[in-house]
Amino acid sequence: MITGDDDEKWLAAATAAVKQNAFYMQRAIDSNNLKDALKFSAQMLSELRTSKLSPHKYYELYIRVFDELRKLEMFFKEETGRGCSIAELYELVQHAGNILPRLYLLCTIGSVYIKSNDVTAKDILKDLVEMCRAVQHPLRGLFLRSYLAQVTRDKLPSIGSELEGDADAHMDALEFVLQNFTEMNKLWVRMQHQGPNREKEKREKERNELRDLVGKNFHVLSQLEGVDLGIYRDTVLPRILEQVVNCKDELAQCYLMDCIIQVFPDDFHLQTLDVLLGACPQLQPSVDIKTVLSGLMERLSNYAVSSVEALPNFLQVDAFSKLNYAIGKVVEAQVDMPASGSVTLYLFLLKFTLHVHADRLDSVDQVLGSCVSQLSATGKLCDDKASKQIVAFLSAPLEKYNDVVTILKLTNYPRVMEYLDHERNKAMAIILIQSILKNNTHIATADEVDALFELIKRLIKDFDGTTDSEVDEEDFQEEQNSVARLVHMLYNDDPEEMAKIIFRVKKHILTGGPKRLPLTIPPLVFSALKLIRRLRGGDENPFGDDTSATPKRILQLLNETIEVLSDVSASELALRLYLQCAQAANDCELETVAYEFFTKAYLLYEEEISDSKAQVTALRLIIGTLQRMRVFNVENRDTLTHKATGYSARLLKKPDQCRAVYECAHLFWADNCENLKDGERVVLCLKRAQRIADAVQQMANASRGTSGTGSVALYVELLNKYLYFLEKGNAQVTGDIIQSLAELIKSDTKNVESGAGSFISSTLRYMEFQRQQQDGGMSEKYQKIKMEWFE
């Protein structure tokens, strides 16, 4: 086995010999000594006969020799200029002792011979390409033919060149390049059989490093003048594909197919698509055909984007059908192709379709269907690579159209999503939602809602035995927040259709588990309430008896929906939503419905809410909502008010009781409704709250070392309430009542902390400010209060 150290050592020795002989060759050239120049050049070229160097090191040696041969070529040109016969030189170099130096010299003098026009280029090219067959060593022969291609590249007869010759001269050049390519490819393929099997992997790596030597022939072919579409279709492509298929080498087939795709013009590929695709199923099963076809489709897609004029040609040759058929045949032939490979192929076909036939949704859907057919035997994909490819596959039309409504028209789209595992499916659902939010896409029909929720159903409920506990809490919250935001994007100006949307959303949302419902029901409720506000003020049922778009029908739906929350331990949220719905019923003058919502809220308060802080919060919401209600008759309002005041008096902590009771005073005084102004009951609530504050004060005094800050703060809050109702015109709130409370506060301010002191000071400054106003009305009310105690 050749080691790296041996390789370096042999390269150093060969390089030294090349330098030495090149030195003597140059000295002979300088002295116009043809004989010595040929002698030392042959000795220099003999170093290329080595079999000790690896291909990489051999290439380094070849480059050094190549540079020196350029000098020799210039010398031959000068010799012919001095009268030396080029034909004699061509014969003379053939007397070199070894075949390899002889052929290098022949190629060098041959290039000069062609330029001299003393002989047709066709004869010299044919002579050289045939004589190079004498070197059958793969590595040496490959580099020899590479040298032949390089020195003759600018001397090939073609249309418009000085070496044009007869009308078919460019065909001679074409034949030369094709023949040289064929022989180079055979040598390159043969390299895999040189050496023991244990070094096969190393040889393949070395071969891969030399592939460009073969591929350069394609660049020459693509630049030949006179090689038009007809010649490419009838001669070039069939000859190349024949060699590609017949060599039966995986590396060669993959590389050469890619070379064909990348080197020749786009319109050539489009017009010869049948021929090129026909070769694909004939390649070795181990060839990475997906890379080949993907490269072809990507090239054609870019061509379609860059040239609008080319689009009719795509339709004319029916490129889509041909590519779709070819991919199907390839996948069918390569039974061992992994799922990721087939998905990749259809991904590039989909991208091609979106570039060329974006307006034809049937073609896009056909690609999706073809992918489903290939995946039908696979089931859910465990392969991470395949799953990522499917996500990319599904994202492609979304990125193209930027419109989920268009995606919903693709019947095979949800079928493809089914092949993703649970987590990938959810990730794809999030991508769909993000697209809707980013592009402000409105889902405007109930059928579209059903189609969309079918796509995102993994976010709506659990599948395949997965549970919420398996999901990271932060991720889960983010997912459900996305669903909540989505609900607000479901909108239609037509109330009847909007009502249908809400009913459909409810059907899907209620399939969620106890963790999802508290996050997804609220947006549904508020979306429905928004519809109710749009319907408010119209006829009770403007669409007929069977319509669902009436406030009453929608509120009944919400009643059923919110009730679910109380069954999943979300009573506080349910109470809030009941109160929101009660307010909506009030606005629509639906007393019975509003009363029912309040009844549900009270039941939740009594039976489900036991935490003292939660009770305080819930009671404030109840009082605040009830205070704004105007739809209730006297009996219903008294019943609900009595309940609220009763709840207030039964709170656990006295300060909470006090605050809840004085808030209840607002239930008996409504600014915009004379029928709901009962000043006497307002004062009764405030006095009751003051008695609770007195109890707090007594408890504070009984506790040694405890200041009365808390009770004083309650007194000041009560004072502010009295002042509020005084300003609102409640005749039952007199100056004596306020003066009495103020005196009480004064007596308790000795030990008040700075925070409560600031509260007291602000209140007193406000009262003094109002006394000094000159507007009349408000000042007169405050004049009834004696203010001497402030001094």
Side-chain angles (χ1 to χ4, degrees):
M1 178 182 296
I2 299 175
T3 64
D5 291 340
D6 291 339
D7 221 18
E8 289 289 349
K9 182 179 65 176
W10 290 327
L11 176 61
T15 302
V18 167
K19 287 182 178 180
Q20 182 180 11
N21 286 296
F23 171 78
Y24 290 117
M25 180 189 76
Q26 185 63 50
R27 193 163 66 175
I29 290 174
D30 293 340
S31 59
N32 293 327
N33 189 334
L34 177 61
K35 182 178 179 182
D36 284 350
L38 292 176
K39 171 185 173 184
F40 290 113
S41 62
Q43 291 178 6
M44 175 185 69
L45 289 166
S46 294
E47 297 300 324
L48 292 176
R49 298 173 62 221
T50 181
S51 299
K52 297 179 178 181
L53 297 177
S54 65
H56 181 72
K57 298 300 181 182
Y58 190 92
Y59 180 75
E60 291 185 28
L61 183 64
Y62 167 80
I63 292 297
R64 292 182 180 275
V65 173
F66 180 82
D67 292 338
E68 300 299 332
L69 287 177
R70 283 299 188 190
K71 300 174 185 178
L72 185 63
E73 182 181 0
M74 293 300 299
F75 174 64
F76 287 153
K77 289 180 182 178
E78 292 170 359
E79 283 294 296
T80 57
R82 288 191 287 266
C84 182
S85 170
I86 188 66
E88 292 180 1
L89 276 176
Y90 190 70
E91 292 294 333
L92 181 62
V93 297
Q94 296 186 46
H95 294 287
N98 294 305
I99 186 65
L100 190 65
R102 184 192 313 159
L103 291 174
Y104 270 102
L105 290 172
L106 268 175
C107 292
T108 305
I109 191 62
S111 68
V112 178
Y113 203 173
I114 295 172
K115 275 285 189 181
S116 69
N117 285 325
D118 291 344
V119 68
T120 61
K122 173 183 176 181
D123 294 335
I124 298 297
L125 292 175
K126 183 178 180 181
D127 195 25
L128 293 176
V129 78
E130 289 291 340
M131 285 195 289
C132 283
R133 291 177 183 270
V135 179
Q136 289 297 304
H137 186 280
L139 185 61
R140 296 196 287 266
L142 189 61
F143 277 94
L144 172 63
R145 287 191 175 275
S146 177
Y147 178 73
L148 173 61
Q150 284 180 283
V151 295
T152 58
R153 183 171 185 171
D154 58 341
K155 304 171 182 69
L156 298 177
S158 60
I159 296 175
S161 74
E162 62 182 21
L163 301 172
E164 182 175 346
D166 56 41
D168 295 327
H170 64 283
M171 294 300 294
D172 298 330
L174 178 65
E175 180 62 30
F176 165 75
V177 178
L178 285 173
Q179 189 173 349
N180 197 49
F181 154 71
T182 300
E183 296 299 327
M184 287 183 73
N185 188 55
K186 291 178 180 178
L187 293 167
W188 185 45
V189 170
R190 197 183 305 158
M191 285 182 65
Q192 68 175 317
H193 304 297
Q194 304 295 309
N197 287 333
R198 66 177 180 273
E199 295 182 2
K200 183 176 181 180
E201 184 176 343
K202 177 184 176 183
R203 288 198 304 274
E204 287 298 291
K205 182 180 178 181
E206 292 172 344
R207 285 183 62 215
N208 196 47
E209 293 174 350
L210 299 176
R211 61 183 185 175
D212 286 346
L213 297 178
V214 182
K216 286 178 181 178
N217 289 283
F218 290 174
H219 288 280
V220 175
L221 286 171
S222 67
Q223 294 170 7
L224 281 177
E225 294 292 338
V227 178
D228 55 15
L229 174 61
I231 293 175
Y232 175 79
R233 180 183 57 240
D234 299 334
T235 305
V236 177
L237 186 60
R239 289 276 296 275
I240 293 176
L241 290 179
E242 179 185 11
Q243 178 59 31
V244 171
V245 172
N246 291 339
C247 74
K248 300 187 182 301
D249 178 70
E250 173 189 347
L251 178 62
Q253 289 181 339
C254 188
Y255 171 69
L256 295 176
M257 289 295 288
D258 185 60
C259 270
I260 295 171
I261 293 167
Q262 300 303 327
V263 170
F264 293 102
D266 297 313
D267 57 322
F268 282 19
H269 294 321
L270 189 59
Q271 298 299 329
T272 59
L273 205 51
D274 284 334
V275 180
L276 192 57
L277 294 176
C280 291
Q282 303 177 53
L283 303 180
Q284 295 297 104
S286 55
V287 170
D288 186 12
I289 194 65
K290 72 176 187 300
T291 301
V292 175
L293 288 176
S294 299
L296 174 61
M297 288 184 283
E298 184 175 21
R299 181 85 187 269
L300 292 176
S301 297
N302 294 335
Y303 178 44
V305 172
S306 63
S307 176
V308 179
E309 296 80 7
L311 287 176
N313 295 333
F314 282 89
L315 297 173
Q316 182 181 2
V317 302
D318 197 10
F320 168 75
S321 297
K322 292 175 180 177
L323 288 168
N324 190 26
Y325 177 79
I327 290 173
K329 283 295 183 183
V330 167
V331 174
E332 181 182 336
Q334 298 195 6
V335 293
D336 295 330
M337 179 182 290
S340 59
S342 58
V343 174
T344 299
L345 283 173
Y346 284 109
L347 170 60
F348 278 92
L349 178 60
L350 182 61
K351 289 181 177 179
F352 168 83
T353 309
L354 292 171
H355 282 124
V356 180
H357 307 296
D359 57 330
R360 292 178 54 182
L361 287 180
D362 57 330
S363 297
V364 176
D365 203 32
Q366 185 179 346
V367 178
L368 295 169
S370 298
C371 185
V372 170
S373 299
Q374 294 301 329
L375 293 172
S376 58
T378 307
K380 292 292 185 296
L381 299 178
C382 299
D383 179 14
D384 186 62
K385 184 177 180 181
S387 296
K388 288 181 179 179
Q389 289 295 86
I390 289 185
V391 171
F393 184 68
L394 293 168
S395 300
L398 195 60
E399 294 169 358
K400 175 65 177 180
Y401 297 117
N402 285 324
D403 182 13
V404 171
V405 175
T406 302
I407 301 302
L408 298 178
K409 298 175 183 177
L410 301 172
T411 57
N412 287 307
Y413 199 91
R415 296 177 64 198
V416 177
M417 278 190 71
E418 285 299 315
Y419 287 95
L420 291 171
D421 59 31
H422 184 69
E423 289 304 316
R424 296 282 184 188
N425 195 297
K426 288 200 303 180
M428 191 64 229
I430 291 291
I431 291 174
L432 288 167
I433 294 176
Q434 288 173 344
S435 174
I436 292 174
L437 299 176
K438 178 182 177 182
N439 297 298
N440 198 30
T441 304
H442 286 287
I443 311 301
T445 69
D447 291 339
E448 288 175 356
V449 169
D450 280 337
L452 175 61
F453 275 78
E454 176 65 22
L455 292 177
I456 66 169
K457 60 186 177 182
R458 303 282 172 173
L459 296 176
I460 306 300
K461 58 181 179 179
D462 295 327
F463 280 82
D464 300 332
T466 58
T467 61
D468 295 335
S469 59
E470 298 173 0
V471 183
D472 179 79
E473 185 63 29
E474 186 175 343
D475 292 342
F476 179 80
Q477 291 282 341
E478 185 62 33
E479 290 171 2
Q480 299 310 303
N481 285 339
S482 296
V483 176
R485 293 174 66 193
L486 171 66
V487 172
H488 294 292
M489 302 303 294
L490 314 177
Y491 180 81
N492 195 304
D493 288 327
D494 176 28
E496 180 66 17
E497 187 64 31
M498 186 65 205
K500 291 180 181 179
I501 288 175
I502 289 172
F503 276 77
R504 297 286 181 88
V505 174
K506 176 208 169 189
K507 180 186 70 174
H508 292 287
I509 289 294
L510 292 187
T511 61
K515 289 186 66 177
R516 287 184 171 86
L517 292 176
L519 297 171
T520 53
I521 284 181
L524 171 61
V525 172
F526 285 103
S527 181
L529 293 177
K530 189 185 297 183
L531 174 59
I532 291 173
R533 286 195 292 272
R534 289 166 54 195
L535 294 170
R536 189 178 64 196
D539 296 334
E540 172 64 19
N541 194 339
F543 298 101
D545 294 335
D546 297 330
T547 183
S548 59
T550 64
K552 186 174 182 180
R553 179 74 185 278
I554 296 170
L555 287 168
Q556 288 173 345
L557 166 84
L558 296 181
N559 191 2
E560 299 167 1
T561 305
I562 299 170
E563 191 173 4
V564 176
L565 288 176
S566 59
D567 297 331
V568 295
S569 303
S571 301
E572 296 176 39
L573 176 60
L575 184 142
R576 291 171 180 266
L577 295 177
Y578 277 137
L579 294 177
Q580 290 283 343
C581 292
Q583 190 169 338
N586 173 78
D587 296 339
C588 296
E589 300 182 356
L590 298 172
E591 180 183 8
T592 305
V593 178
Y595 190 85
E596 183 179 356
F597 279 119
F598 259 96
T599 302
K600 292 286 185 69
Y602 281 175
L603 286 173
L604 285 177
Y605 180 85
E606 293 175 358
E607 298 175 1
E608 302 294 338
I609 302 177
S610 56
D611 180 76
S612 60
K613 290 184 178 180
Q615 286 180 337
V616 171
T617 302
L619 193 51
R620 285 177 177 171
L621 291 170
I622 289 173
I623 294 170
T625 306
L626 184 56
Q627 188 269 339
R628 294 191 293 272
M629 303 296 285
R630 301 290 180 267
V631 72
F632 294 131
N633 59 34
V634 175
E635 182 182 353
N636 286 338
R637 187 174 183 85
D638 284 347
T639 301
L640 295 173
T641 302
H642 178 74
K643 276 285 188 183
T645 54
Y647 293 149
S648 301
R650 290 194 295 271
L651 289 173
L652 178 63
K653 297 178 181 179
K654 289 293 182 181
D656 291 337
Q657 287 182 20
C658 177
R659 292 185 174 97
V661 170
Y662 72 58
E663 291 292 347
C664 285
H666 290 280
L667 298 177
F668 305 105
W669 193 273
D671 291 336
N672 56 353
C673 186
E674 292 298 325
N675 295 331
L676 293 177
K677 290 184 177 180
D678 190 339
E680 185 176 347
R681 296 182 73 178
V682 168
V683 173
L684 285 175
C685 275
L686 295 177
K687 288 183 175 180
R688 187 176 183 183
Q690 187 171 340
R691 288 196 297 271
I692 299 172
D694 292 340
V696 174
Q697 177 66 17
Q698 292 172 7
M699 293 172 60
N701 293 336
S703 301
R704 182 175 300 176
T706 304
S707 69
T709 303
S711 59
V712 174
L714 291 175
Y715 287 143
V716 180
E717 291 171 20
L718 274 168
L719 176 59
N720 278 272
K721 287 295 177 184
Y722 275 114
L723 294 176
Y724 170 82
F725 286 109
L726 174 68
E727 293 181 1
K728 292 298 182 181
N730 187 342
Q732 301 299 321
V733 178
T734 64
D736 291 339
I737 294 176
I738 297 176
Q739 179 66 28
S740 174
L741 181 58
E743 292 289 345
L744 182 60
I745 294 172
K746 180 180 179 182
S747 65
D748 288 333
T749 54
K750 297 177 181 178
N751 299 319
V752 173
E753 296 177 358
S754 60
S758 299
F759 189 14
I760 296 170
S761 300
S762 298
T763 303
L764 298 182
R765 285 196 301 272
Y766 175 77
M767 294 171 66
E768 182 64 25
F769 172 78
Q770 293 294 357
R771 276 173 60 90
Q772 295 174 1
Q773 293 299 305
Q774 302 299 319
D775 59 356
M778 192 64 68
S779 177
E780 289 178 3
K781 294 177 182 178
Y782 275 86
Q783 293 294 335
K784 300 176 182 179
I785 306 172
K786 297 178 180 179
M787 305 293 287
E788 292 82 0
W789 68 283
F790 296 136
E791 299 176 358

